Amino acid sequence: MADAAVIGAQWGDEGKGKIVDWLSARADVVVRFQGGHNAGHTLVIDGETYKLSLLPSGVVRKGCVGVIGSGVVVDPFALIAEIDRLAGQGVAITPDNLRIAENATLILPVHSELDQMREASAAGVKIGTTKRGIGPAYEDKAGRRGLRVVDLASPETLPAKIENLLVHHNALRRGFGEAELDAGALVDTLKEIAPKIAPFAAPVWRELDLARKAGKRILFEGAQGVLLDVDHGTYPFVTSSNTVAGQAATGSGLGPGTVDYVLGIVKAYTTRVGEGPFPTELDDDVGRRLGERGREFGVVTGRKRRCGWFDAALVRQSLKIAGVDGIALTKLDVLDGFEELKVCVGYRIGGETYDYLPAGAERQAAAAPVYETMAGWSGSTERARSWAELPAEAVKYVRRIEELIETPVALVSTSPERDDVILMRDPFQD
């Protein structure tokens, strides 16, 4: 029985939530392995909409266990708020269906405050973060001064650890002209939230190993997208974690051989939130039409997404970097009614032509897309569940994308509803 990983293959917002939910109906365990509550997944199940940020998508399904791995940075206050919100929708989150890695790093209020200071500062590069403290928490993790979930179980150790953390953060706050923080107040805050988090803490590496030995199906759920990977994305306009499939092993505590199939989620056009290069961006009526039809607003922030044509050169690059076996092409229905469609097949930068986006922020910002034009279609692809229901031009579009990205299309999504899928290859099948 195969285990699968789902990752975004663009700049995030590709529609991973629906696909993960569709797969989680047959999974026993769903694992988040990186990122934090800057992720936003929207699930539509039987007409009910669930918006998740930190919780794995599988928690809304009975019989499925959600796991937050050690590669995730956990804001305990945001987590409890999300659990309470789901309870209001009739979904009970308990230690029976949610486990949190005891060695996962915590996001504290000091992290989100630092994030906001940096984004508001007149100096430095504007990354366009969600201001939720994700980056600063990863910095403290790498700097070996971060607090972890397991620390909440030993409140007597918190004062010394908080003092050590604030040596760094108070120096930064002084640099921003902000008041220093009192360790005692932060300790009291953590002691208050600790009893709500502690029951979920576990050595998830061990539980996942036991689940695998028992023949359970494990689905690894990525957040953001490959183009936001801290190593392989459009640096410095990236997130603070590795978003590629290899992180599923590191961020969960299982070996790399655990992932049998990597499914990359790819939107039929391109969107991006925040700052950074975007070669195919359309600041015109076509771009606005894509945004309106695709309802392109961030789940977490509500920010309007930048929209543009499909970038085959960039997707091909991200698929190869991430080791993707097949893609799920989402939001094909958003392209219904366009007379013509354009697909980027390369770039011109300083008089040279590239079939990939080279590293270096300056060259990426200067990249001009080289387009291939295709005929659009007047018919509807919405809610199609077989190739026969698609207009001929839509089939040609999908097949041409498949050729350009050099990766097979495993499934096509034709609406936000979970069952509106055309399946060619089941990621859970060996």
Side-chain angles (χ1 to χ4, degrees):
M1 190 172 293
D3 294 327
V6 174
I7 63 171
Q10 292 158 304
W11 279 295
D13 308 311
E14 301 94 348
K16 292 183 291 298
K18 169 190 169 171
I19 303 302
V20 170
D21 175 60
W22 184 80
L23 290 169
S24 69
R26 289 170 295 140
D28 301 296
V29 183
V30 178
V31 185
R32 275 284 310 273
F33 57 84
Q34 50 78 217
H37 63 305
N38 56 342
H41 292 173
T42 299
L43 314 180
V44 181
I45 304 172
D46 298 328
E48 182 78 18
T49 299
Y50 303 94
K51 294 183 182 293
L52 306 180
S53 295
L54 185 56
L55 291 171
S57 296
V59 297
V60 300
R61 298 204 162 275
K62 290 182 179 179
C64 188
V65 176
V67 172
I68 296 177
S70 59
V72 178
V73 284
V74 179
D75 183 324
F77 309 97
L79 176 61
I80 295 303
E82 191 170 336
I83 289 173
D84 290 343
R85 187 172 69 250
L86 282 182
Q89 293 183 271
V91 179
I93 306 298
T94 72
D96 292 328
N97 64 355
L98 175 67
R99 310 300 278 160
I100 306 173
E102 59 187 4
N103 55 333
T105 297
L106 293 172
I107 300 176
L108 305 178
V110 64
H111 295 126
S112 56
E113 290 176 16
L114 177 57
D115 212 350
Q116 293 166 28
M117 290 176 201
R118 286 172 170 170
E119 286 295 308
S121 174
V125 176
K126 295 291 186 296
I127 304 298
T129 75
T130 57
K131 302 177 184 177
R132 280 163 166 71
I134 312 296
Y138 275 116
E139 290 175 31
D140 283 344
K141 176 180 179 178
R144 294 163 292 186
R145 57 182 168 265
L147 273 72
R148 306 197 293 178
V149 171
V150 70
D151 295 324
L152 296 177
S154 303
E156 71 280 0
T157 70
L158 290 176
K161 292 176 179 178
I162 293 295
E163 288 284 3
N164 181 59
L165 179 73
L166 292 185
V167 168
H168 174 77
H169 278 273
N170 278 335
L172 294 175
R173 294 176 71 88
R174 289 194 297 271
F176 280 106
E178 298 289 337
E180 295 186 14
L181 293 176
D182 175 59
L186 184 52
V187 169
D188 291 342
T189 300
L190 289 179
K191 285 182 177 179
E192 184 177 344
I193 195 75
K196 298 179 181 180
I197 298 296
F200 297 100
V204 301
W205 64 268
R206 185 174 183 275
E207 297 193 3
L208 290 173
D209 181 61
L210 292 173
R212 184 164 169 77
K213 288 177 179 176
K216 304 280 189 177
R217 276 181 171 171
I218 302 175
L219 179 63
F220 299 89
E221 177 185 12
Q224 290 88 41
V226 175
L227 299 177
L228 292 174
D229 185 278
V230 69
D231 287 313
H232 302 289
T234 49
Y235 189 90
F237 304 99
V238 294
T239 194
S240 299
S241 62
N242 288 112
T243 60
V244 294
Q247 179 64 20
T250 306
S252 68
L254 290 174
T258 304
V259 180
D260 301 294
Y261 188 89
V262 179
L263 181 69
I265 314 301
V266 177
K267 194 178 289 185
Y269 50 102
T270 311
T271 61
R272 177 165 199 169
V273 171
E275 305 298 323
F278 185 170
T280 65
E281 183 173 12
L282 298 171
D283 188 18
D284 58 14
D285 289 341
V286 173
R288 285 186 284 277
R289 182 178 175 187
L290 287 171
E292 290 168 2
R293 295 205 58 187
R295 299 177 183 176
E296 296 297 350
F297 295 91
V299 174
V300 172
T301 64
R303 288 186 295 179
K304 183 179 179 181
R305 296 174 185 143
R306 301 154 63 189
C307 299
W309 293 121
F310 186 81
D311 192 332
L314 201 48
V315 169
R316 180 176 62 243
Q317 181 174 336
S318 67
L319 297 180
K320 292 184 181 300
I321 288 170
V324 170
D325 296 299
I327 73 160
L329 189 67
T330 65
K331 291 199 169 184
L332 183 66
D333 54 300
V334 173
L335 299 181
D336 291 353
F338 281 88
E339 292 185 6
E340 68 173 27
L341 304 169
K342 293 184 179 181
V343 176
C344 176
V345 295
Y347 315 97
R348 290 194 181 91
I349 307 173
E352 296 185 50
T353 301
Y354 295 80
D355 63 355
Y356 69 97
L357 190 65
E362 293 75 22
R363 287 199 292 173
Q364 290 176 351
V370 176
Y371 284 121
E372 178 178 301
T373 302
M374 299 183 64
W377 53 88
S378 57
S380 175
T381 65
E382 188 174 10
R383 311 206 72 168
R385 298 185 182 182
S386 70
W387 283 112
E389 297 177 63
L390 296 180
E393 292 82 2
V395 175
K396 290 178 182 177
Y397 182 76
V398 174
R399 291 306 187 195
R400 182 54 179 153
I401 283 177
E402 194 174 45
E403 292 174 357
L404 290 170
I405 65 176
E406 299 176 3
T407 305
V409 175
L411 58 92
V412 178
S413 171
T414 57
S415 93
E417 292 293 334
R418 66 176 299 276
D419 293 323
D420 290 337
V421 168
I422 302 171
L423 179 66
M424 279 78 76
R425 206 290 191 184
D426 187 343
F428 277 134
Q429 297 299 318
D430 285 320

